[in-house]
Amino acid sequence: MEQARIETAEAIYFFSGIGRQDLHTAWPYIHDMLQPAVEREAGDMSLQDIFIGVKAQTMQLWAVCKGMEAIVACAVTEILKYEHHSVCRIVAVSGDGIHEWKGFEKYIAEWASDAGCLRIEAICRPGFKRIAEPLGYKQTHIIISKDLRGPLH
């Protein structure tokens, strides 16, 4: 994927996928940025799972850079293959200034469409819905969970 660019009044942002060949260089920055998102996942996924997934090309890592400076945000996606179609799932989004660079989502959508996906989905916090709706997302399900490690009521 070519590097995409968004110019705002405050800065110029660049967006691109990080392939497995660049993973070791980017990972120290991505690791710390993704840590809070992974901690919110209640143990469903670890940073090591993401690293291994990107290295194995079962997950995709996307980065946003502010100017030519360090990475300021990142996203992780994976393609889920069902019997009759494929879906791109946004696994994690983390970083600063999302209102400045959320327009980069269209490049993930184009990539997912080119990969044969029929839709993009994300399991996210309730507040993320406000950010995603103007980009064309709608709530289709609610996920609830019950921790089975304690007393079962």
Side-chain angles (χ1 to χ4, degrees):
M1 177 191 150
E2 295 281 324
Q3 194 175 58
R5 171 185 168 135
I6 290 179
E7 237 175 285
T8 69
E10 291 79 33
I12 299 171
Y13 293 90
F14 296 96
F15 176 80
S16 67
I18 297 176
R20 65 181 177 181
Q21 71 278 6
D22 298 320
L23 183 58
H24 287 283
T25 304
W27 191 249
Y29 305 101
I30 300 294
H31 177 278
D32 292 344
M33 196 172 296
L34 281 175
Q35 185 67 42
V38 168
E39 287 172 359
R40 285 189 296 267
E41 289 292 318
D44 293 343
M45 182 183 339
S46 69
L47 289 169
Q48 183 177 2
D49 294 334
I50 293 172
F51 185 87
I52 290 169
V54 173
K55 192 122 177 118
Q57 296 181 306
T58 59
M59 289 183 163
Q60 302 75 41
L61 182 59
W62 309 91
V64 177
C65 295
K66 187 174 183 178
M68 294 299 169
E69 299 171 23
I71 297 168
V72 295
C74 61
V76 179
T77 57
E78 65 182 341
I79 294 180
L80 305 177
K81 295 183 186 256
Y82 297 108
E83 187 175 346
H84 299 291
H85 66 280
S86 296
V87 172
C88 177
R89 176 174 289 166
I90 299 173
V91 175
V93 176
S94 192
D96 296 322
I98 192 166
H99 294 290
E100 294 289 318
W101 49 260
K102 67 183 177 183
F104 285 127
E105 180 277 342
K106 70 182 173 186
Y107 297 105
I108 293 175
E110 288 173 4
W111 171 85
S113 179
D114 290 346
C117 295
L118 296 184
R119 71 174 182 274
I120 297 178
E121 64 183 25
I123 299 172
C124 53
R125 295 180 293 146
F128 197 75
K129 180 181 167 189
R130 289 189 311 272
I131 295 165
E133 283 179 333
L135 299 173
Y137 290 80
K138 64 179 183 172
Q139 183 175 327
T140 59
H141 297 79
I142 296 173
I143 294 179
I144 60 173
S145 64
K146 179 179 182 174
D147 191 340
L148 300 177
R149 294 172 287 188
L152 302 178
H153 298 277

